[in-house]
Amino acid sequence: MKKRIRAWLAEHTEEAVSWLAEAVQEQSEQGMEKGVQLLVADRLDKIGLDVTVYVPEGEEFLKHPYFCATRNDFSESPNVIGRWNGTGGGRSIVLNGHVDVVPAGDLNQWDEDPYSGKVADGKLYGRGSTDMKGGNLAAMLAVQALRETGCKLRGDVIFHSVVEEESGGAGTLSAVLEGFTADAAIIPEPTNMKIFPSQQGSMWFRVTVKGKAAHGGTRYEGVSAIEKSMIIVHALQKLENVRNERIIDPLYKNIPIPVPINIGKIMGGNWPSSVPDTVVLEGRIGVAPHETMEEVKDELHAAMAGIDDKWLREHPAEVEWFGAQWLPGMIDQEHELMQLLTKNFKDSQGYDPVIEASPWGTDGGVLTTIGDTPSIVFGPGVTAVAHYPNEYIEISKIIDAAEIIALTIFDWCGGSTD
Amino acid sequence: MKKRIRAWLAEHTEEAVSWLAEAVQEQSEQGMEKGVQLLVADRLDKIGLDVTVYVPEGEEFLKHPYFCATRNDFSESPNVIGRWNGTGGGRSIVLNGHVDVVPAGDLNQWDEDPYSGKVADGKLYGRGSTDMKGGNLAAMLAVQALRETGCKLRGDVIFHSVVEEESGGAGTLSAVLEGFTADAAIIPEPTNMKIFPSQQGSMWFRVTVKGKAAHGGTRYEGVSAIEKSMIIVHALQKLENVRNERIIDPLYKNIPIPVPINIGKIMGGNWPSSVPDTVVLEGRIGVAPHETMEEVKDELHAAMAGIDDKWLREHPAEVEWFGAQWLPGMIDQEHELMQLLTKNFKDSQGYDPVIEASPWGTDGGVLTTIGDTPSIVFGPGVTAVAHYPNEYIEISKIIDAAEIIALTIFDWCGGSTD
């Protein structure tokens, strides 16, 4: 069966790459996903799946406690669901991939048009190639290969082509609220073919630190919000230490800081010779797979409240939770889907996969926590080029991932050949 | 003679206040000083002085090493010089005041139009009332009172009504380069009637700190420019300590930090979940009266170079000197003009004046260093309201200052009565 899948994939690589080029050319930043979603829907339809194209909406979705997006209107951002109903009695699987891409950024840093879809030296270039239209293609090829080599499955395969992952997963939230869940899931995000059973969640926070303005020449009459913000930074560093020292999961053994606190932005003061009366810090706190968002928020608030500084006790820094958030995700490492994926990786590639925890959030958090669908993140593409100029994906890895995913679906969903 | 001066001032207060209201109403932010300067020229002319109105310009001025301004074109910003030539053989004096005002800022914080010139409860309100059109009026009244009570002087009185003090003194630089210097000077800046023989200078600096970008989830792959900027802030705090510990001048005995280093602005990073690769700090370093600007620059550069941090040694923070600078100013505390001013203050007010060092720069630095005209800063108005909303000046203080300055001019320039 492996040989037939492999042969089918080899025969269809050229067509698949040409489709991927077209998908990359369909620029799909947030709010512009419709074009590529129609391409996906068309491809799923041709494969023979039952296709649903729908716009995420409704009270349950928009008012959900984990709804996180910068907008309420998704009319140009439909989700696409493709369903292959099994013959019955088998375990079901979700294959989940997002089509939204981050902006291209500074065009001068790109060697080519970011939306070229150019193929050279076995790589396909362009924004979204690795994150994660290449992974989506791998999942679609896996399904198509199974169907076209005559496999039957007892369990259902549900393909999610979702929007809005880059802002915190509202697309997947909608999909699970619409009932598109399963017994487990694979998300072909660019893990560089590593297997991530645990996925770090994260939240953004903003800390506003108040000082007292004064003329710089008599700065002792004021209180510098910059100096006070250094105390805040120090407290956040201490909190990061405490939070990471207690993580003993061996999945993190090669990761220097399993759940980092990153302070990404600082802004304060408005005149060189005035004592700054306000500093704003913005950052991201990693959430461990076993933690809830609420626990992490409470711990950060407690760290701020525990700062031993008279001024800050009397003028506490204000903490806000804003912007994006990603729930952490997790599947038991002994889960049978983990075992099957690991085995099929080795059968296909000839060596054991690297099994690690992801350093970033994925839609696996929403699938696991809201959709009760434990998820593994595994896919082609190098994380290092995601969100960067000259993003690319190696075509051979797409094909390898497709083969491994196909074999795993076959085993998990109770496959049989004609 | 004191009685005649006092009586003359009492008789002319109403007219003088009405002129000051008009002067405040002439909005004179940088580049808009012409209107108020024409008012000043007219008043000086009526007093009977030789009036020169001229636009600062020319190579010597614009290319001067201490030329400091954000512009080269002063066509709407003339200087006004009024000259009262003495009968000969006496010491000359410069009375120096600036007419440029800082912007009104947030109008919501003002109870009235910032340019109302409104009089209530013995105060005149408006931007520039205290800093320093009120002081200028005091100096003009002093001259007028001397002339109109029939005093003769042996030495010359040169009144400077200059532009551009708020950006570092280009107006006074032009005046001294044009030869309008004297044996000593009084600058009626708002000292709240304190006498400032020494004036702190200052310079603005910008420090750019480099880090290395990375995703916040793998922040250990990057180097946070925010964390590195904290090392820079710490080094600047240490430098401030060292610089201030060596100041033993008793003038500074009540000043907690004689020459502060103020970090007024911080900006860095652009995304909460990215490791920030650049932080920019902007600040002001105070310059002690006995220091040169070059010595202070060298000391700050040395402090940066001495930072014991591997990353910063390999990626040194970049220091720039930008924006405004004010030379420090100083007159010997035993100087006869100091003694005369102190004596006349006591004679007029009945108690000893407070003698201190100023916590900010004035045009006294340029007068002292470039114009060889040692300067005392002494004037009406509360420093605390300068540059703030609802700026005001107490009218009685203008009249007191005028009396004290008149008596001091009389003594210094060799006065005689009819």
Side-chain angles (χ1 to χ4, degrees):
Chain A
M1 206 272 292
K2 190 173 85 183
K3 274 189 191 160
R4 280 160 61 186
I5 297 282
R6 185 169 288 183
W8 185 94
L9 286 167
E11 271 166 39
H12 293 80
T13 300
E14 196 178 320
E15 180 279 328
V17 168
S18 132
W19 183 88
L20 181 58
E22 215 181 321
V24 166
Q25 285 154 12
E26 277 291 347
Q27 188 172 343
S28 55
E29 291 177 34
Q30 280 175 11
M32 306 162 63
E33 301 96 332
K34 197 174 188 174
V36 73
Q37 288 291 59
L38 294 181
L39 268 188
V40 171
D42 179 57
R43 187 171 184 93
L44 294 176
D45 186 57
K46 282 182 183 150
I47 294 173
L49 271 52
D50 293 340
V51 178
T52 308
V53 180
Y54 78 97
V55 170
E57 63 188 354
E59 186 109 333
E60 187 191 6
F61 168 61
L62 294 169
K63 303 278 189 212
H64 193 276
Y66 288 110
F67 173 82
C68 175
T70 51
R71 54 178 171 156
N72 285 317
D73 177 9
F74 293 85
S75 49
E76 291 303 306
S77 308
N79 269 350
V80 176
I81 308 290
R83 192 169 189 117
W84 176 11
N85 287 322
T87 54
R91 291 173 297 202
S92 58
I93 194 164
V94 157
L95 304 173
N96 172 289
H98 67 86
V99 294
D100 55 312
V101 302
V102 297
D106 180 4
L107 295 185
N108 292 323
Q109 294 188 44
W110 287 80
D111 296 337
E112 306 270 343
D113 170 12
Y115 297 100
S116 71
K118 180 184 159 180
V119 178
D121 300 329
K123 295 169 180 163
L124 188 144
Y125 287 85
R127 172 58 79 232
S129 55
T130 221
D131 186 10
M132 61 174 284
K133 292 173 180 174
N136 293 348
L137 174 62
M140 283 189 279
L141 284 174
V143 173
Q144 193 179 359
L146 287 169
R147 291 177 66 91
E148 299 191 2
T149 56
C151 294
K152 298 267 175 293
L153 303 178
R154 288 197 287 150
D156 302 341
V157 176
I158 301 157
F159 185 88
H160 291 177
S161 183
V162 297
V163 298
E164 203 75 359
E165 190 275 343
E166 297 290 356
S167 286
T172 293
L173 176 65
S174 164
V176 304
L177 294 177
E178 296 288 337
F180 299 113
T181 58
D183 293 317
I186 294 176
I187 303 175
E189 285 266 14
T191 68
N192 199 17
M193 306 295 274
K194 293 176 182 177
I195 295 175
F196 290 168
S198 292
Q199 302 106 37
Q200 187 185 134
S202 65
M203 285 182 283
W204 286 5
F205 59 88
R206 181 184 291 125
V207 184
T208 303
V209 189
K210 287 285 176 193
K212 186 181 156 205
H215 188 285
T218 52
R219 76 168 191 83
Y220 38 84
E221 291 171 357
V223 174
S224 165
I226 292 176
E227 288 179 17
K228 293 302 172 192
S229 74
M230 288 171 61
I231 298 174
I232 301 288
V233 171
H234 186 68
L236 290 170
Q237 288 170 332
K238 223 171 89 181
L239 175 63
E240 186 190 59
N241 277 344
V242 170
R243 285 175 50 70
N244 283 280
E245 268 169 13
R246 67 185 175 222
I247 291 180
I248 50 166
D249 186 334
L251 274 186
Y252 288 102
K253 70 175 188 296
N254 294 320
I255 300 181
I257 310 174
V259 283
I261 299 179
N262 181 71
I263 301 171
K265 207 168 161 184
I266 189 167
M267 297 148 291
N270 47 34
W271 198 247
S273 60
S274 294
V275 175
D277 65 356
T278 308
V279 166
V280 177
L281 299 165
E282 289 181 359
R284 168 201 186 274
I285 183 164
V287 178
H290 61 278
E291 292 181 314
T292 68
M293 307 305 256
E294 289 64 32
E295 283 164 4
V296 176
K297 286 182 182 177
D298 288 349
E299 198 172 11
L300 191 143
H301 285 284
M304 292 294 103
I307 289 172
D308 184 22
D309 179 86
K310 188 168 181 289
W311 173 265
L312 288 173
R313 269 197 308 276
E314 288 164 6
H315 307 83
E318 186 197 340
V319 179
E320 293 164 85
W321 301 93
F322 78 110
Q325 62 174 33
W326 287 266
L327 286 166
M330 186 172 184
I331 195 169
D332 195 308
Q333 290 171 59
E334 303 308 311
H335 193 284
E336 202 184 327
L337 186 63
M338 274 296 290
Q339 295 178 15
L340 295 174
L341 183 62
T342 305
K343 179 185 83 63
N344 284 314
F345 182 99
K346 190 168 183 184
D347 284 355
S348 162
Q349 304 293 302
Y351 57 91
D352 286 321
V354 176
I355 300 178
E356 263 183 17
S358 85
W360 23 253
T362 69
D363 278 343
V366 170
L367 274 166
T368 305
T369 308
I370 318 294
D372 198 21
T373 303
S375 306
I376 301 172
V377 179
F378 163 76
V382 184
T383 315
V385 302
H387 297 210
Y388 281 86
N390 303 318
E391 180 177 342
Y392 68 86
I393 191 161
E394 288 174 274
I395 292 160
S396 65
K397 300 294 185 188
I398 298 175
I399 304 303
D400 287 352
E403 179 182 312
I404 296 162
I405 294 170
L407 299 175
T408 304
I409 294 171
F410 185 87
D411 291 343
W412 173 259
C413 295
S416 58
T417 52
D418 291 335
Chain B
M1 206 275 291
K2 191 174 82 183
K3 275 189 192 160
R4 281 161 61 187
I5 296 282
R6 185 169 286 184
W8 184 94
L9 285 168
E11 272 166 41
H12 292 80
T13 300
E14 196 177 323
E15 179 279 327
V17 168
S18 131
W19 183 88
L20 181 58
E22 214 180 324
V24 166
Q25 285 153 11
E26 277 289 347
Q27 187 172 345
S28 56
E29 291 178 36
Q30 281 176 10
M32 305 163 62
E33 301 94 332
K34 198 173 188 174
V36 73
Q37 288 289 59
L38 295 180
L39 268 188
V40 171
D42 179 59
R43 186 170 183 95
L44 295 175
D45 186 59
K46 282 182 181 147
I47 296 173
L49 271 52
D50 294 340
V51 178
T52 308
V53 179
Y54 78 97
V55 171
E57 63 188 352
E59 186 109 336
E60 188 191 7
F61 168 60
L62 294 170
K63 305 277 188 212
H64 194 278
Y66 289 109
F67 173 81
C68 175
T70 51
R71 55 178 171 158
N72 285 317
D73 176 10
F74 293 84
S75 49
E76 292 302 307
S77 308
N79 270 349
V80 175
I81 308 290
R83 194 170 188 114
W84 177 10
N85 288 321
T87 54
R91 291 174 296 202
S92 59
I93 194 164
V94 157
L95 305 172
N96 172 289
H98 67 87
V99 294
D100 55 312
V101 301
V102 296
D106 179 5
L107 295 185
N108 293 322
Q109 294 187 43
W110 288 80
D111 296 337
E112 306 268 344
D113 170 13
Y115 297 100
S116 70
K118 179 184 159 180
V119 178
D121 299 329
K123 295 168 181 165
L124 187 145
Y125 287 85
R127 172 58 80 232
S129 55
T130 221
D131 187 10
M132 62 175 281
K133 291 172 180 174
N136 293 349
L137 174 63
M140 284 188 279
L141 285 174
V143 173
Q144 193 179 0
L146 288 169
R147 290 177 67 92
E148 299 192 2
T149 56
C151 295
K152 298 268 178 291
L153 302 178
R154 288 197 286 148
D156 302 340
V157 176
I158 302 157
F159 185 87
H160 289 178
S161 182
V162 296
V163 297
E164 203 75 0
E165 190 274 343
E166 296 290 356
S167 286
T172 292
L173 176 65
S174 163
V176 304
L177 294 177
E178 297 287 336
F180 299 113
T181 59
D183 293 318
I186 293 175
I187 303 176
E189 285 266 15
T191 67
N192 199 18
M193 307 295 276
K194 293 176 182 178
I195 295 175
F196 290 168
S198 291
Q199 303 106 36
Q200 187 185 135
S202 65
M203 286 183 283
W204 286 3
F205 59 87
R206 181 184 292 127
V207 184
T208 303
V209 189
K210 287 285 176 193
K212 186 181 156 207
H215 188 285
T218 51
R219 76 167 193 81
Y220 40 84
E221 290 171 358
V223 174
S224 165
I226 292 176
E227 287 179 17
K228 294 302 170 191
S229 74
M230 289 170 61
I231 299 174
I232 302 288
V233 170
H234 186 71
L236 290 169
Q237 288 171 331
K238 221 170 91 181
L239 175 64
E240 184 190 60
N241 276 345
V242 170
R243 286 175 49 70
N244 283 282
E245 268 169 12
R246 68 185 177 222
I247 292 180
I248 51 168
D249 186 332
L251 274 186
Y252 288 102
K253 71 176 187 298
N254 294 321
I255 301 182
I257 310 175
V259 283
I261 299 180
N262 181 70
I263 301 171
K265 206 168 161 182
I266 187 165
M267 298 149 291
N270 46 36
W271 198 245
S273 60
S274 296
V275 175
D277 66 355
T278 308
V279 166
V280 177
L281 299 164
E282 289 181 359
R284 168 200 187 276
I285 183 165
V287 178
H290 61 278
E291 291 182 313
T292 68
M293 307 304 254
E294 288 66 32
E295 283 164 3
V296 176
K297 286 181 183 178
D298 288 350
E299 199 172 12
L300 191 142
H301 286 283
M304 292 294 104
I307 289 174
D308 184 22
D309 179 87
K310 188 168 179 289
W311 173 266
L312 288 173
R313 270 197 306 276
E314 287 164 8
H315 308 84
E318 187 196 342
V319 179
E320 294 164 85
W321 301 93
F322 79 108
Q325 61 174 33
W326 287 267
L327 285 165
M330 185 171 187
I331 195 168
D332 194 309
Q333 288 172 60
E334 305 306 312
H335 193 284
E336 202 183 327
L337 186 62
M338 273 297 290
Q339 295 178 13
L340 295 173
L341 183 62
T342 305
K343 179 186 80 68
N344 284 313
F345 182 99
K346 189 168 184 185
D347 284 356
S348 162
Q349 304 294 301
Y351 57 92
D352 287 320
V354 177
I355 300 178
E356 264 183 16
S358 85
W360 22 254
T362 69
D363 278 343
V366 169
L367 274 164
T368 305
T369 308
I370 318 293
D372 200 20
T373 304
S375 306
I376 302 172
V377 180
F378 162 76
V382 183
T383 315
V385 301
H387 298 211
Y388 281 86
N390 303 319
E391 180 177 342
Y392 69 86
I393 190 161
E394 288 174 274
I395 292 159
S396 65
K397 300 294 182 185
I398 298 174
I399 304 304
D400 287 352
E403 179 181 311
I404 297 162
I405 293 170
L407 299 175
T408 305
I409 295 170
F410 186 87
D411 291 345
W412 173 258
C413 295
S416 57
T417 51
D418 289 335

